[in-house]
Amino acid sequence: MPLLRLPGSCRMRLLQFTTVKLTICLICGILIGYYLRPSLITSFALTLVSLFLLGVVFVRYNKLPTFLFGLFTGLLAITIGILSLTLSESRNLGRHYSQQNIGKNKVYTLKIREVLKPNGYSDRYVAHINSMDSLTVNGKILLNIAIDSSIGPLMVDDEIVTYASLLPISHPLNPHQFNYKKYLSNIGIEHQVKLTGHDYYIMPQHSTTIFGLANKLRDHIIKNLKKEDFGSEELGVIQALLLGQRNEITAEIDTDYKNAGAYHILALSGLHIGILLGLLHFLLRPLELLPKGRTVKLVVIVLFLWAFAILAGLSASILRATTMFTFVAYALYLNRPTSHFNILALSLFFILLLLDPLLLFQVGFQLSYAAVFAIVWIYPLLQKIWNPQYWILKKGWELVSVSIAAQLGVFPISLFYFHQFPGLFLISSLLILPFLTFILGFGILVIVLSLANSLPHVVVALYDNVIRWMNWVIGLVAQQENFLFSNISFDGVQLILSYGIIIAMVTVFIKASYKRVLLFLIFILCFQCYVLVIGHLAQKKESLVIGHVARNSGIIHQTGQKLTVYCSNPTATLRMTNDYAIAQNTRELEHRPIKNSYLIKGERMVLLDSIHTALPINHDVYTLVLTQSPKINLERLLDSIRPNIIIADGSNYKSYVDRWKATCHKRMLPFHYTGEKGAFLYTWP
């Protein structure tokens, strides 16, 4: 199947399209609303004022400068973005559960919306609250149910009744740790419920939604596939590749795909929908011979795309990707040079406005649109560099061009969120992408035959070997560890400057001029200066962190670009240390056994643990750290010393911590428990 032909829209200036400018204004408005958090009244008033000003300009268009119409149109788009974001916040939703008193136990009716990957202790779900006591409310929560072998997992659309209390999502307890609370907040989840298998009642009857039907269809397909002779690793990849179900992928396979730069193959989203669109566009070409055949072809393609979306469970990423490529299918139907940027911007505009403005802050959304816009803009430019005569070279260069364009689009975002870059992504693309259309198409055929209970053994064996070959190739590439660049420090400023460099570089490539080359060089100079400045500041920085590590102790001491980690179990502190080292751009790491006394800027910090419970002689204690649940009488100890603060880390029994906390409260002494307040940070000016 040939790659979709993109018109020569790269020759055109991106900002000449009205939809692109309006979409940029809408995004600016969403960002303003997200960071400033204006009230609903303020947002609504700003929108009305902007609409009024635009109406005045429209009525008196002939008597006013023409640029005012565009200016106030952009201003209206910005205020609409602010209003859209404000309306999506739970505090502005009248029937949202958070508007009620949620501090005590109440009777909740919950409807399962999405089944998440379980952890080692509990099954996890996204649930909608239908009612709270006798009130009808709405809103999403995270539902955790302790794993119980006697009770099966819940299904999408199941409804349960429970008497429980809503708990806040925990904030990160260590510096630079992944902010799961913020991630959930960006998808509209602010609270969670923790239950055991006997804390809820499953309603015998419940309403059915399209999400539930999609989930039942997917579970039926998975059960049918498990009856066949697929290998366990191969079946896990098949479920991810075709059904968006990554729960059964082994840790080894998951790591191999990440390290090889091919994880997008397993994450069912824009790539798969785009390939399916290209496949359908090619296979349904004979329909164009019919009267109004191109319209019929468009309708059939859109129906197939949404049928596949339902098959894949209608997850957020699939809904987003299918909506986007529905617009792309319409762009192919129009077949005009200006349509691709217009349609992509239009799809982005309506997805953010109608589906959810908070999508803008989700990594998958950012990666999808960055890759697609980069392909549409950069791919035609790369094709002009070389036009091979031989078919095999031509197709190979097309794949390389798509991969380079997509990687340029997502490269800064990947570094910002994941801090690593797979140097062999081109090798992975050249080895896998030529066959991915076949793998995806063949997989859909396998699913259809499975649903019809007519899946031949020879087809099972063939597809199993194809997936095994793909896993082997990815594993071989992933083993080349010298080409995996990881633990790269990359912050928000570098993200913005990197995109400035890429955009300026592409504009120079389109048409070189003095101003464009100068802008390109300025961005490079700014990036280099920023790296030098943060490196210079890091040389002067000194800090000490008492981290939170479950059932362990860990202290990080930074002096310049060197980290010294004091701990008894380096493996337990590995994640905390890596997060801190990457964020602080340190170059040297050393582990040392934990000590019981430290001198911090002339002040003594003493650690008491289960073995060392005696204070050092002839030293005033400024900070007292309690670790490993020492058996001490804190009341008696505080009669002999008067520390400025007492710190308890994550290695202590909770009952001990509660007792120490009460003692400190009684004596009006500051008490810091890392399990509640997070890591304790000392900094030097």
Side-chain angles (χ1 to χ4, degrees):
M1 185 201 74
L3 290 171
L4 293 177
R5 294 294 177 186
L6 298 173
S9 56
C10 63
R11 295 189 297 270
M12 305 174 188
R13 291 189 304 172
L14 199 61
L15 292 179
Q16 77 179 37
F17 302 118
T18 301
T19 52
V20 173
K21 289 185 283 190
L22 288 176
T23 301
I24 292 174
C25 290
L26 179 73
I27 291 173
C28 290
I30 292 173
L31 291 173
I32 292 171
Y34 184 80
Y35 289 107
L36 297 185
R37 303 289 180 176
S39 66
L40 182 60
I41 295 177
T42 302
S43 301
F44 192 69
L46 288 173
T47 305
L48 285 180
V49 170
S50 300
L51 184 61
F52 173 76
L53 292 174
L54 181 61
V56 171
V57 172
F58 181 77
V59 171
R60 305 180 63 86
Y61 185 77
N62 295 330
K63 298 180 181 180
L64 294 174
T66 55
F67 77 90
L68 287 178
F69 184 79
L71 177 65
F72 286 113
T73 301
L75 181 62
L76 178 61
I78 291 174
T79 56
I80 288 175
I82 296 173
L83 180 62
S84 176
L85 190 283
T86 307
L87 287 172
S88 70
E89 294 182 304
S90 59
R91 62 189 175 94
N92 296 316
L93 301 175
R95 301 184 68 179
H96 196 269
Y97 70 85
S98 61
Q99 302 300 315
Q100 311 300 324
N101 180 14
I102 58 174
K104 300 179 180 179
N105 282 12
K106 295 182 181 295
V107 177
Y108 292 96
T109 303
L110 308 176
K111 189 176 185 67
I112 305 301
R113 168 62 182 84
E114 185 179 352
V115 179
L116 303 177
K117 187 174 183 177
N119 55 33
Y121 308 99
S122 59
D123 293 319
R124 301 164 62 245
Y125 310 90
V126 174
H128 280 245
I129 300 182
N130 289 342
S131 66
M132 182 172 67
D133 286 344
S134 59
L135 296 174
T136 300
V137 295
N138 55 35
K140 294 189 295 184
I141 62 166
L142 180 66
L143 175 61
N144 301 276
I145 301 180
I147 295 176
D148 189 339
S149 58
S150 64
I151 302 175
L154 298 175
M155 306 292 291
V156 175
D157 276 354
D158 280 351
E159 292 184 11
I160 66 172
V161 178
T162 182
Y163 181 69
S165 177
L166 299 185
L167 305 173
I169 307 295
S170 300
H171 56 77
L173 296 176
N174 289 309
H176 314 297
Q177 180 182 344
F178 172 69
N179 196 334
Y180 191 55
K181 178 182 177 70
K182 184 177 180 181
Y183 166 78
L184 290 178
S185 178
N186 285 342
I187 58 176
I189 298 176
E190 302 286 350
H191 293 85
Q192 63 180 330
V193 170
K194 296 182 179 181
L195 305 175
T196 65
H198 304 286
D199 290 340
Y200 63 91
Y201 168 73
I202 302 178
M203 301 285 284
Q205 295 182 342
H206 54 78
S207 60
T208 302
T209 66
I210 189 171
F211 300 103
L213 292 174
N215 189 72
K216 287 181 180 179
L217 177 61
R218 184 170 59 183
D219 284 347
H220 178 66
I221 292 170
I222 291 174
K223 288 179 182 178
N224 285 356
L225 292 177
K226 286 183 176 180
K227 296 177 183 177
E228 307 296 341
D229 294 328
F230 289 108
S232 58
E233 289 187 346
E234 289 71 28
L235 185 58
V237 172
I238 290 171
Q239 292 180 42
L241 185 66
L242 301 173
L243 302 172
Q245 192 80 357
R246 287 179 284 173
N247 295 355
E248 297 187 25
I249 295 178
T250 64
E252 182 180 358
I253 293 292
D254 190 77
T255 302
D256 283 348
Y257 275 80
K258 287 179 180 177
N259 293 345
Y263 199 71
H264 54 282
I265 294 174
L266 297 182
L268 188 56
S269 58
L271 172 67
H272 305 77
I273 302 297
I275 289 175
L276 183 59
L277 171 60
L279 180 63
L280 293 171
H281 184 71
F282 175 71
L283 295 177
L284 298 178
R285 190 168 293 174
L287 290 178
E288 296 181 5
L289 302 175
L290 300 174
K292 296 186 178 181
R294 297 186 72 250
T295 303
V296 173
K297 178 183 173 183
L298 173 64
V299 173
V300 173
I301 286 176
V302 171
L303 290 176
F304 266 108
L305 290 181
W306 283 100
F308 183 76
I310 293 174
L311 182 69
L314 287 174
S315 65
S317 61
I318 288 297
L319 279 172
R320 181 179 66 240
T322 307
T323 303
M324 178 175 70
F325 279 100
T326 298
F327 281 92
V328 174
Y330 182 63
L332 292 171
Y333 167 77
L334 294 177
N335 196 29
R336 292 201 301 264
T338 61
S339 63
H340 282 79
F341 281 127
N342 268 318
I343 294 299
L344 283 175
L346 198 62
S347 71
L348 178 57
F349 187 92
F350 280 102
I351 287 174
L352 289 176
L353 188 60
L354 299 180
L355 292 184
D356 186 3
L358 288 174
L359 284 172
L360 184 63
F361 305 97
Q362 296 182 22
V363 182
F365 179 85
Q366 296 169 9
L367 290 172
S368 294
Y369 266 96
V372 173
F373 269 103
I375 290 172
V376 171
W377 194 27
I378 300 174
Y379 168 79
L381 295 174
L382 296 175
Q383 287 297 290
K384 291 180 181 179
I385 296 177
W386 186 35
N387 187 21
Q389 295 181 353
Y390 298 104
W391 183 87
I392 186 68
L393 292 177
K394 186 177 182 65
K395 296 305 171 186
W397 177 237
E398 286 179 351
L399 286 171
V400 170
S401 299
V402 169
S403 297
I404 291 175
Q407 284 294 333
L408 279 174
V410 304
F411 176 69
I413 297 176
S414 299
L415 286 182
F416 179 70
Y417 286 110
F418 309 118
H419 304 288
Q420 70 175 33
F421 174 69
L424 296 179
F425 72 90
L426 271 178
I427 303 298
S428 302
S429 299
L430 286 174
L431 292 176
I432 301 299
L433 288 184
F435 308 99
L436 193 56
T437 301
F438 166 76
I439 293 171
L440 188 61
F442 196 0
I444 293 174
L445 176 63
V446 167
I447 287 177
V448 171
L449 293 176
S450 173
L451 287 172
N453 295 318
S454 303
L455 185 57
H457 178 73
V458 64
V459 174
V460 172
L462 177 60
Y463 198 57
D464 187 68
N465 284 320
V466 168
I467 300 299
R468 184 177 293 112
W469 167 82
M470 183 173 72
N471 290 344
W472 177 80
V473 169
I474 293 297
L476 188 64
V477 175
Q479 290 174 10
Q480 316 308 313
E481 296 181 355
N482 291 334
F483 295 93
L484 177 63
F485 307 99
S486 57
N487 297 336
I488 301 172
S489 179
F490 205 81
D491 60 21
V493 176
Q494 290 169 303
L495 172 72
I496 295 171
L497 292 175
S498 295
Y499 272 117
I501 292 172
I502 292 171
I503 293 171
M505 178 182 67
V506 174
T507 58
V508 168
F509 192 83
I510 293 173
K511 184 180 179 181
S513 67
Y514 173 77
K515 291 182 178 180
R516 292 184 178 186
V517 173
L518 180 62
L519 183 64
F520 174 58
L521 295 177
I522 288 174
F523 272 116
I524 292 179
L525 183 62
C526 290
F527 187 90
Q528 291 175 328
C529 290
Y530 181 76
V531 171
L532 290 174
V533 168
I534 60 177
H536 177 70
L537 294 176
Q539 291 287 354
K540 298 182 177 181
K541 185 173 183 178
E542 185 174 6
S543 63
L544 186 138
V545 177
I546 301 174
H548 179 81
V549 185
R551 297 182 294 277
N552 283 277
S553 299
I555 299 176
I556 298 176
H557 183 206
Q558 178 185 358
T559 53
Q561 291 185 308
K562 178 183 177 181
L563 284 189
T564 304
V565 182
Y566 297 94
C567 61
S568 55
N569 185 359
T571 303
T573 62
L574 182 62
R575 184 173 180 179
M576 177 185 71
T577 303
N578 284 345
D579 290 341
Y580 193 88
I582 292 171
Q584 296 297 324
N585 195 24
T586 56
R587 298 178 181 177
E588 187 179 351
L589 178 64
E590 180 183 7
H591 286 87
R592 289 185 181 180
I594 200 164
K595 299 189 300 182
N596 290 93
S597 180
Y598 299 86
L599 191 63
I600 303 173
K601 203 178 178 180
E603 308 287 356
R604 179 66 56 180
M605 181 177 76
V606 174
L607 277 73
L608 297 184
D609 56 27
S610 57
I611 298 176
H612 301 88
T613 58
L615 294 172
I617 302 174
N618 300 327
H619 282 305
D620 292 331
V621 178
Y622 183 85
T623 303
L624 180 63
V625 181
L626 304 175
T627 73
Q628 304 296 329
S629 303
K631 296 181 179 179
I632 59 172
N633 187 320
L634 188 58
E635 287 268 11
R636 188 180 305 164
L637 184 65
L638 292 178
D639 289 336
S640 59
I641 62 170
R642 183 67 180 178
N644 283 51
I645 188 172
I646 294 179
I647 303 169
D649 67 11
S651 64
N652 297 289
Y653 297 133
K654 189 64 169 59
S655 58
Y656 283 33
V657 172
D658 292 338
R659 188 168 66 246
W660 297 333
K661 185 177 180 180
T663 300
C664 291
H665 179 72
K666 178 181 177 181
R667 290 180 173 253
M668 293 184 291
L669 184 64
F671 181 81
H672 184 103
Y673 173 46
T674 60
E676 293 177 353
K677 299 180 180 180
F680 189 88
L681 176 65
Y682 288 94
T683 57
W684 285 261

